[in-house]
Amino acid sequence: MPHYFHSVMLDRDKCKGCTNCIKHCPTEAIRVREGQAIIIEERCIDCGECIRICPNRAKLAITDPLEKLADYQYNIALPAPSLYAQFGPDVLPGNILSALLKIGFDEVYEVAVGAVAVSNHLRRYIEHRPRPQPVISSACPAVVRLMQVRFPGLLEHIAPIETPMEVSARLAREKARQEHGLADKAIGIFFITPCPAKVTAVKQPFGKRSYVDGAFSMSDIYGAILQRLSDAADDSRNSLSPALGVGWGKTGGENHAIKEHALLAVDGIHNVINVLEEIERGELADIDYVEAQACTGGCIGGPLTPQNLFVARVRMEKLLKKLADCRQPLPDFPSDPDYYRLPGPIPPRPTLQLSDDINQAITMLEEVEHITAQLPGLDCGSCGSPNCRALAEDIVRGYAENSYCVFKLRERLQLLASEIVDLAHKQPPAMGKHVK
Ligand code: SF4
Ligand code: SF4
């Protein structure tokens, strides 16, 4: 089995086995066994839903520590557009970027800038009406991994275009090489991430390598930025902050930057699943492009953002209005379409199928149906599987037993109890009349 990197981890000391997380996982990747959550590695897509839902803060995202800056001679910060919505109404991108420089970065390259380059390229790509329709955005790695696991048949819908994070990192690296004559290995590029899914995209990219060297959690770096905001000038030399690129940080921003097509924006992983099911049924062929984000509200609602989503949304709207009036000239972007192309097709990860052998899979499926029909259908999760059908699958795969269901266990106990009562009425023939 291939090794999967995961940013989302379990803190075993904090987990109380409450089963809250198992019911919210979009790929049914969590079980609770012996009072502890277990993450099924090959199914987890690092969307961070369990981080949000866990009442005991037992799920966490592993990101890089700031000390990693010491590994490189020249460090470049790549702030996600959603970072700008995390601060008070008077804090402008220039303030935030200046504060990042004071933390220890040598340069900042805004992902919002790379997002404009990607938007231009996406617009041209959609104009050629590629098949199959609709094209699905490749920007949210949690959605792409969801499709690998649950919708492998839709992977060919994904736009074969790199994410703004990767394009920005590549542009930043080339700029640093040209301007400072640095060797590639001297340059460290660090994304400031709103989510664990992006960390996984950096550590285990779809292609051979990521242009990003590490990812710092937005929540972790937030305090350090706040501390330096007061003495950070709004150094507009540091900030290009194109409104079209900054808008990618919220739902609808990506579509707004593409414009003039039949565009659909969906956010929240369970809503994304509903839309993907519609695409699977062939119901959305009239739509050109689907912007799909795992987090409600888009990246401003990412699990590693420090700000409340509703506040961040207001901040983002206000900021976008301000930025619409101040247009800084952007660098020339490469015009070669291959510059933006994903390194290859995204492979499926069909970990939900019961067996590679079709005949065996059919037999197992029949068994699953049979067991599911005998379970109570309450989907209570007390068995440690997310619902009755998932328990049936676990039983068929050999990972669980029928008695994990508390109702089935009670039935067996009742049966056992009545057998014991029955036996208690029986006497050996030597002691009296034998009761049959
Ligand atoms: S939500 Fe999941 S990880 Fe958190 S305590 Fe409950 S079982 Fe453990
Ligand atoms: S919507 Fe944004 S923050 Fe949320 S998982 Fe996708 S890329 Fe990450």
Side-chain angles (χ1 to χ4, degrees):
M1 187 185 297
H3 166 72
Y4 296 109
F5 171 89
H6 287 297
S7 170
V8 175
M9 307 291 277
L10 175 77
D11 182 339
R12 295 180 65 85
D13 293 336
K14 289 188 179 165
C15 177
K16 295 194 180 351
C18 67
T19 73
N20 272 315
C21 55
I22 60 173
K23 291 180 223 149
H24 286 83
C25 176
T27 53
E28 297 185 348
I30 312 172
R31 300 290 182 272
V32 171
R33 299 285 180 252
E34 296 174 9
Q36 290 265 296
I38 297 167
I39 302 174
I40 304 172
E41 213 192 297
E42 61 273 23
R43 285 191 187 188
C44 173
I45 58 170
D46 290 293
C47 63
E49 280 295 297
C50 54
I51 295 179
R52 269 191 258 270
I53 212 75
C54 176
N56 300 304
R57 296 180 180 268
K59 290 277 174 52
L60 56 141
I62 303 297
T63 54
D64 286 306
L66 267 177
E67 288 72 37
K68 211 171 167 199
L69 293 179
D71 294 353
Y72 299 89
Q73 186 188 331
Y74 191 83
N75 289 297
I76 305 174
L78 291 186
S82 47
L83 179 68
Y84 303 147
Q86 308 302 317
F87 300 88
D90 301 325
V91 179
L92 294 170
N95 301 116
I96 299 165
L97 306 189
S98 297
L100 284 171
L101 292 175
K102 285 180 195 296
I103 287 174
F105 292 100
D106 298 288
E107 191 180 330
V108 182
Y109 197 101
E110 295 178 80
V111 173
V113 173
V116 173
V118 172
S119 308
N120 295 342
H121 186 65
L122 263 174
R123 204 176 304 123
R124 284 196 292 272
Y125 179 75
I126 298 168
E127 260 155 27
H128 289 103
R129 301 193 66 78
R131 297 281 160 205
Q133 290 274 107
V135 175
I136 301 172
S137 170
S138 62
C140 174
V143 170
V144 173
R145 286 184 200 269
L146 169 75
M147 291 172 69
Q148 286 182 289
V149 172
R150 268 187 75 164
F151 300 92
L154 294 184
L155 287 171
E156 57 180 354
H157 287 251
I158 292 178
I161 292 170
E162 279 290 11
T163 61
M165 175 184 80
E166 286 296 337
V167 170
S168 303
R170 190 171 173 188
L171 290 167
R173 190 174 287 280
E174 287 163 1
K175 181 170 175 277
R177 271 202 308 245
Q178 277 165 19
E179 289 181 0
H180 304 286
L182 292 161
D184 215 23
K185 60 178 188 304
I187 306 168
I189 301 196
F190 294 94
F191 181 62
I192 299 178
T193 183
C195 64
K198 288 281 192 195
V199 183
T200 301
V202 168
K203 306 285 179 189
Q204 197 168 54
F206 297 121
K208 282 201 180 73
R209 63 160 286 187
S210 167
Y211 288 94
V212 185
D213 297 296
F216 299 135
S217 157
M218 211 172 267
S219 291
D220 287 354
I221 208 168
Y222 182 68
I225 298 176
L226 265 187
Q227 268 177 15
R228 288 158 181 88
L229 272 181
S230 53
D231 49 59
D234 175 20
D235 190 345
S236 38
R237 278 173 307 163
N238 293 329
S239 128
L240 299 173
S241 309
L244 279 188
V246 174
W248 273 64
K250 70 170 187 66
T251 304
E254 185 180 336
N255 281 355
H256 180 68
I258 296 169
K259 296 177 186 155
E260 293 168 19
H261 290 277
L263 308 170
L264 183 153
V266 55
D267 62 350
I269 194 93
H270 295 286
N271 295 329
V272 170
I273 289 170
N274 291 340
V275 167
L276 292 176
E277 283 172 351
E278 286 194 41
I279 297 173
E280 235 177 10
R281 294 195 296 267
E283 291 170 9
L284 297 182
D286 58 319
I287 302 288
D288 293 319
Y289 188 73
V290 177
E291 171 199 314
Q293 289 174 306
C295 299
T296 303
C299 298
I300 52 172
L304 302 183
T305 55
Q307 186 57 273
N308 172 306
L309 164 65
F310 299 95
V311 177
R313 194 181 271 151
V314 173
R315 299 267 154 83
M316 180 58 102
E317 294 294 352
K318 279 192 169 174
L319 177 63
L320 289 174
K321 278 190 192 135
K322 268 189 200 154
L323 295 177
D325 300 330
C326 46
R327 293 184 191 183
Q328 300 264 40
L330 296 179
D332 288 335
F333 299 124
S335 55
D336 181 359
D338 285 344
Y339 190 91
Y340 303 94
R341 197 162 278 281
L342 282 178
I346 295 169
R349 202 198 279 181
T351 51
L352 301 186
Q353 70 190 28
L354 290 162
S355 169
D356 290 341
D357 179 274
I358 184 76
N359 291 325
Q360 195 182 355
I362 290 170
T363 311
M364 288 171 85
L365 187 63
E366 283 167 359
E367 229 179 307
V368 169
E369 302 292 351
H370 178 69
I371 296 172
T372 307
Q374 292 177 343
L375 292 172
L378 294 175
D379 295 339
C380 66
S382 307
C383 57
S385 300
N387 51 57
C388 297
R389 191 187 168 84
L391 175 65
E393 279 188 29
D394 289 347
I395 293 169
V396 170
R397 288 176 199 269
Y399 303 150
E401 294 169 14
N402 201 286
S403 60
Y404 286 15
C405 169
V406 284
F407 297 92
K408 284 290 173 195
L409 186 65
R410 196 175 62 179
E411 267 177 27
R412 278 183 64 185
L413 280 172
Q414 280 170 344
L415 210 65
L416 202 61
S418 76
E419 273 178 31
I420 289 170
V421 171
D422 220 26
L423 280 173
H425 284 99
K426 294 187 181 191
Q427 287 178 1
M431 292 176 65
K433 199 177 168 202
H434 183 59
V435 183
K436 286 193 181 169

